[in-house]
Amino acid sequence: EIVLTQSPGTLSLFPGERATLSCRASQSVNSNHLAWYQQKPGQAPRLLIYGASTRATGIPDRFSGSGSGTDFTLTISRLEPEDFALYYCQHFGRSLWTFGQGTKVEIK
Amino acid sequence: QVTLKESGPVLVKPTETLTLTCTVSGFSLSNAKMGVNWIRQSPGKALEWLAHIFSNDEKSYSTSLKSRLTISKDTSKSQVVLIMTNMDPVDTATYYCARTVMDIAVGVASEFIYYYYMDVWGKGTTVAVSS
Protein backbone atom coordinates (compact mmCIF):
# COMPACT_ATOMS: atom_id res chain seq x y z
CA GLU A 1 0.00 0.00 0.00
CA ILE A 2 1.31 3.42 -1.00
CA VAL A 3 2.27 5.84 1.77
CA LEU A 4 2.47 9.55 0.98
CA THR A 5 4.78 11.65 3.15
CA GLN A 6 4.41 15.41 2.98
CA SER A 7 7.04 17.90 4.05
CA PRO A 8 7.46 20.15 5.78
CA GLY A 9 4.73 19.72 8.35
CA THR A 10 4.41 23.48 8.69
CA LEU A 11 5.64 26.22 6.38
CA SER A 12 5.84 29.74 7.82
CA LEU A 13 6.00 32.40 5.13
CA PHE A 14 5.10 36.02 4.47
CA PRO A 15 2.40 36.99 1.98
CA GLY A 16 4.00 37.41 -1.42
CA GLU A 17 6.59 34.71 -0.83
CA ARG A 18 6.90 31.48 -2.74
CA ALA A 19 5.71 28.24 -1.12
CA THR A 20 7.12 24.87 -2.08
CA LEU A 21 5.37 21.81 -0.67
CA SER A 22 6.67 18.27 -1.11
CA CYS A 23 4.85 14.95 -1.37
CA ARG A 24 6.91 11.77 -1.50
CA ALA A 25 5.44 8.35 -2.29
CA SER A 26 6.76 5.14 -0.74
CA GLN A 27 7.04 3.67 -4.24
CA SER A 28 6.76 4.95 -7.77
CA VAL A 29 3.21 5.99 -8.62
CA ASN A 30 1.22 6.94 -11.68
CA SER A 31 1.44 10.74 -11.78
CA ASN A 32 -1.92 10.88 -13.57
CA HIS A 33 -3.48 9.70 -10.33
CA LEU A 34 -1.82 12.30 -8.06
CA ALA A 35 -3.87 15.26 -6.81
CA TRP A 36 -3.51 18.17 -4.41
CA TYR A 37 -6.21 19.69 -2.19
CA GLN A 38 -6.50 22.82 -0.08
CA GLN A 39 -8.44 22.86 3.18
CA LYS A 40 -9.30 25.88 5.29
CA PRO A 41 -10.51 25.65 8.90
CA GLY A 42 -14.10 24.47 9.13
CA GLN A 43 -14.34 23.79 5.40
CA ALA A 44 -14.25 20.77 3.15
CA PRO A 45 -11.14 20.22 1.03
CA ARG A 46 -11.01 21.82 -2.41
CA LEU A 47 -9.37 20.25 -5.44
CA LEU A 48 -6.40 22.30 -6.68
CA ILE A 49 -4.38 20.04 -8.97
CA TYR A 50 -4.97 16.67 -10.61
CA GLY A 51 -2.75 14.56 -12.80
CA ALA A 52 0.15 16.00 -10.79
CA SER A 53 0.19 19.22 -12.81
CA THR A 54 -3.26 20.14 -14.19
CA ARG A 55 -5.04 22.94 -12.38
CA ALA A 56 -8.68 22.28 -11.55
CA THR A 57 -11.36 24.61 -12.82
CA GLY A 58 -11.14 28.07 -11.31
CA ILE A 59 -7.78 27.57 -9.61
CA PRO A 60 -5.48 30.61 -10.00
CA ASP A 61 -2.30 30.13 -12.00
CA ARG A 62 -0.12 30.95 -8.99
CA PHE A 63 -0.74 27.30 -8.05
CA SER A 64 1.31 24.77 -9.98
CA GLY A 65 2.12 21.10 -9.58
CA SER A 66 5.02 19.04 -10.82
CA GLY A 67 6.80 15.76 -10.33
CA SER A 68 6.83 12.12 -11.28
CA GLY A 69 7.76 8.74 -9.88
CA THR A 70 7.99 9.22 -6.12
CA ASP A 71 8.50 12.98 -5.78
CA PHE A 72 5.84 15.60 -6.32
CA THR A 73 5.71 19.31 -5.59
CA LEU A 74 2.99 21.90 -5.16
CA THR A 75 4.22 25.44 -5.67
CA ILE A 76 2.39 28.63 -4.83
CA SER A 77 4.31 31.34 -6.66
CA ARG A 78 3.21 34.32 -4.56
CA LEU A 79 1.20 33.69 -1.44
CA GLU A 80 -2.05 35.57 -1.14
CA PRO A 81 -3.74 35.97 2.28
CA GLU A 82 -6.37 33.39 1.30
CA ASP A 83 -3.68 30.77 0.53
CA PHE A 84 -2.75 30.23 4.16
CA ALA A 85 -4.32 26.83 4.76
CA LEU A 86 -3.70 23.10 4.92
CA TYR A 87 -2.61 21.23 1.81
CA TYR A 88 -2.93 17.51 1.13
CA CYS A 89 -1.60 15.33 -1.64
CA GLN A 90 -3.57 12.26 -2.65
CA HIS A 91 -3.03 9.21 -4.81
CA PHE A 92 -5.32 6.59 -6.33
CA GLY A 93 -3.92 3.22 -7.24
CA ARG A 94 -5.03 -0.44 -7.24
CA SER A 95 -8.47 0.69 -6.13
CA LEU A 96 -7.11 2.38 -3.00
CA TRP A 97 -6.96 6.08 -2.21
CA THR A 98 -4.25 7.54 0.01
CA PHE A 99 -3.80 10.99 1.52
CA GLY A 100 -0.62 12.52 2.82
CA GLN A 101 -0.62 13.84 6.36
CA GLY A 102 -0.79 17.44 5.18
CA THR A 103 1.33 20.59 5.17
CA LYS A 104 0.13 23.69 6.96
CA VAL A 105 1.07 26.98 5.34
CA GLU A 106 0.91 29.68 7.99
CA ILE A 107 1.56 33.40 8.04
CA LYS A 108 4.96 34.32 9.41
CA GLN B 1 -24.54 22.78 -10.23
CA VAL B 2 -23.04 19.71 -8.62
CA THR B 3 -23.67 19.29 -4.91
CA LEU B 4 -23.27 16.54 -2.36
CA LYS B 5 -24.84 16.53 1.08
CA GLU B 6 -24.05 14.19 3.93
CA SER B 7 -26.64 13.25 6.52
CA GLY B 8 -26.75 10.97 9.51
CA PRO B 9 -26.80 10.92 13.30
CA VAL B 10 -24.83 13.46 15.27
CA LEU B 11 -24.21 11.07 18.13
CA VAL B 12 -23.85 7.30 18.30
CA LYS B 13 -22.97 5.04 21.19
CA PRO B 14 -19.94 2.73 21.28
CA THR B 15 -20.58 -0.62 19.55
CA GLU B 16 -23.51 0.85 17.58
CA THR B 17 -23.71 0.91 13.80
CA LEU B 18 -23.41 4.22 11.93
CA THR B 19 -25.37 4.82 8.74
CA LEU B 20 -24.47 7.86 6.65
CA THR B 21 -26.19 9.01 3.48
CA CYS B 22 -24.73 11.14 0.72
CA THR B 23 -27.38 12.75 -1.48
CA VAL B 24 -26.05 14.07 -4.75
CA SER B 25 -27.45 16.47 -7.31
CA GLY B 26 -26.26 17.86 -10.61
CA PHE B 27 -24.94 14.53 -11.85
CA SER B 28 -26.09 10.94 -12.07
CA LEU B 29 -24.65 8.01 -10.14
CA SER B 30 -25.01 6.04 -13.37
CA ASN B 31 -22.50 8.28 -15.18
CA ALA B 32 -19.73 5.94 -16.31
CA LYS B 33 -17.02 8.46 -15.45
CA MET B 34 -18.13 9.14 -11.92
CA GLY B 35 -18.39 7.70 -8.49
CA VAL B 36 -18.53 8.73 -4.85
CA ASN B 37 -15.96 8.48 -2.09
CA TRP B 38 -16.32 8.71 1.67
CA ILE B 39 -13.53 10.37 3.62
CA ARG B 40 -13.31 11.29 7.29
CA GLN B 41 -11.27 13.66 9.40
CA SER B 42 -10.84 13.29 13.13
CA PRO B 43 -10.39 16.54 15.06
CA GLY B 44 -6.99 18.03 14.25
CA LYS B 45 -6.01 15.07 12.11
CA ALA B 46 -5.41 14.38 8.44
CA LEU B 47 -7.95 13.22 5.88
CA GLU B 48 -8.58 9.48 5.92
CA TRP B 49 -10.13 7.71 2.94
CA LEU B 50 -12.82 5.17 3.81
CA ALA B 51 -14.55 3.77 0.73
CA HIS B 52 -15.55 4.39 -2.86
CA ILE B 53 -18.20 3.21 -5.25
CA PHE B 54 -18.25 3.69 -9.01
CA SER B 55 -21.15 3.72 -11.46
CA ASN B 56 -20.55 0.07 -12.39
CA ASP B 57 -20.96 -0.76 -8.69
CA GLU B 58 -17.24 -1.40 -8.23
CA LYS B 59 -16.48 -0.90 -4.55
CA SER B 60 -13.28 -0.51 -2.58
CA TYR B 61 -12.52 -0.05 1.10
CA SER B 62 -9.76 1.22 3.32
CA THR B 63 -7.56 -1.74 4.19
CA SER B 64 -7.62 -0.95 7.90
CA LEU B 65 -11.41 -0.50 8.12
CA LYS B 66 -12.57 -2.95 5.48
CA SER B 67 -14.18 -5.37 7.93
CA ARG B 68 -16.43 -2.63 9.34
CA LEU B 69 -17.53 -0.80 6.19
CA THR B 70 -20.22 -1.32 3.59
CA ILE B 71 -20.90 1.12 0.77
CA SER B 72 -23.89 1.01 -1.56
CA LYS B 73 -25.81 3.26 -3.89
CA ASP B 74 -29.38 3.85 -4.98
CA THR B 75 -29.15 5.50 -8.37
CA SER B 76 -32.86 6.29 -8.52
CA LYS B 77 -32.61 8.24 -5.27
CA SER B 78 -29.21 9.76 -6.10
CA GLN B 79 -27.88 8.46 -2.80
CA VAL B 80 -24.78 6.67 -1.60
CA VAL B 81 -24.90 5.02 1.80
CA LEU B 82 -21.97 4.15 4.05
CA ILE B 83 -22.45 1.77 6.96
CA MET B 84 -19.79 1.50 9.65
CA THR B 85 -20.23 -1.12 12.34
CA ASN B 86 -18.96 -1.38 15.90
CA MET B 87 -18.40 2.34 16.39
CA ASP B 88 -15.75 3.47 18.88
CA PRO B 89 -14.89 6.90 20.33
CA VAL B 90 -11.85 7.01 18.01
CA ASP B 91 -14.33 7.12 15.11
CA THR B 92 -15.45 10.57 16.21
CA ALA B 93 -14.89 12.68 13.11
CA THR B 94 -16.31 14.79 10.35
CA TYR B 95 -17.41 12.51 7.53
CA TYR B 96 -17.31 13.81 3.96
CA CYS B 97 -18.57 12.43 0.69
CA ALA B 98 -16.96 13.58 -2.54
CA ARG B 99 -17.62 13.08 -6.21
CA THR B 100 -14.96 11.01 -7.90
CA VAL B 101 -14.14 11.69 -11.50
CA MET B 102 -12.46 9.30 -13.89
CA ASP B 103 -11.27 11.60 -16.64
CA ILE B 104 -9.94 10.25 -19.89
CA ALA B 105 -7.60 12.02 -22.25
CA VAL B 106 -5.74 10.96 -25.36
CA GLY B 107 -1.97 11.17 -25.16
CA VAL B 108 0.48 12.15 -27.87
CA ALA B 109 0.88 8.52 -28.88
CA SER B 110 -2.90 8.12 -29.10
CA GLU B 111 -2.89 6.21 -25.83
CA PHE B 112 -5.66 6.65 -23.28
CA ILE B 113 -4.66 8.52 -20.14
CA TYR B 114 -6.84 8.04 -17.06
CA TYR B 115 -7.07 10.65 -14.34
CA TYR B 116 -8.76 10.09 -10.99
CA TYR B 117 -9.61 12.83 -8.53
CA MET B 118 -12.31 14.12 -6.18
CA ASP B 119 -13.60 17.34 -7.65
CA VAL B 120 -16.62 18.29 -5.53
CA TRP B 121 -17.01 17.67 -1.81
CA GLY B 122 -19.93 17.90 0.56
CA LYS B 123 -19.67 20.16 3.59
CA GLY B 124 -19.34 17.15 5.88
CA THR B 125 -21.30 15.82 8.81
CA THR B 126 -19.86 15.56 12.29
CA VAL B 127 -20.36 12.35 14.21
CA ALA B 128 -19.47 11.91 17.86
CA VAL B 129 -19.16 8.49 19.47
CA SER B 130 -19.89 8.54 23.16
CA SER B 131 -21.91 6.70 25.74
Side-chain angles (χ1 to χ4, degrees), chain B residues 60-100:
Chain B
S60 184
Y61 299 98
S62 160
T63 303
S64 61
L65 293 168
K66 186 172 186 174
S67 62
R68 300 172 53 205
L69 296 173
T70 303
I71 192 170
S72 62
K73 64 181 173 73
D74 185 330
T75 303
S76 65
K77 293 183 178 179
S78 295
Q79 291 181 333
V80 174
V81 173
L82 181 74
I83 297 172
M84 181 180 287
T85 60
N86 194 24
M87 293 292 285
D88 183 273
V90 300
D91 297 313
T92 293
T94 297
Y95 289 75
Y96 297 100
C97 60
R99 186 175 77 165
T100 303

Side-chain angles (χ1 to χ4, degrees), chain A residues 1 32-33 35 37 39 43-47 50-51 54 86 88 90 92 95-102, chain B residues 37 39 41 45-47 49 52 54 58 60-61 63 96 100 103 113-119 121-123:
Chain A
E1 195 166 325
N32 296 326
H33 300 178
Y37 299 82
Q39 187 180 31
Q43 297 184 18
R46 176 175 72 143
L47 175 68
Y50 66 91
T54 302
L86 261 172
Y88 293 95
Q90 175 210 59
F92 174 68
S95 297
L96 299 176
W97 298 80
T98 306
F99 287 95
Q101 83 279 20
Chain B
N37 269 287
I39 305 98
Q41 187 172 38
K45 298 293 180 65
L47 300 169
W49 172 69
H52 84 214
F54 281 116
E58 175 198 327
S60 184
Y61 299 98
T63 303
Y96 297 100
T100 303
D103 212 352
I113 302 172
Y114 294 87
Y115 299 98
Y116 292 88
Y117 50 88
M118 302 179 191
D119 69 333
W121 294 59
K123 293 182 189 293

Side-chain angles (χ1 to χ4, degrees), chain A residues 50-99:
Chain A
Y50 66 91
S53 60
T54 302
R55 275 187 301 277
T57 303
I59 301 303
D61 60 7
R62 64 180 181 273
F63 290 92
S64 63
S66 63
S68 64
T70 60
D71 292 308
F72 298 88
T73 300
L74 174 70
T75 302
I76 310 170
S77 59
R78 285 179 57 85
L79 283 163
E80 297 287 340
E82 62 268 28
D83 300 335
F84 291 93
L86 261 172
Y87 293 85
Y88 293 95
C89 59
Q90 175 210 59
H91 177 259
F92 174 68
R94 298 192 178 189
S95 297
L96 299 176
W97 298 80
T98 306
F99 287 95

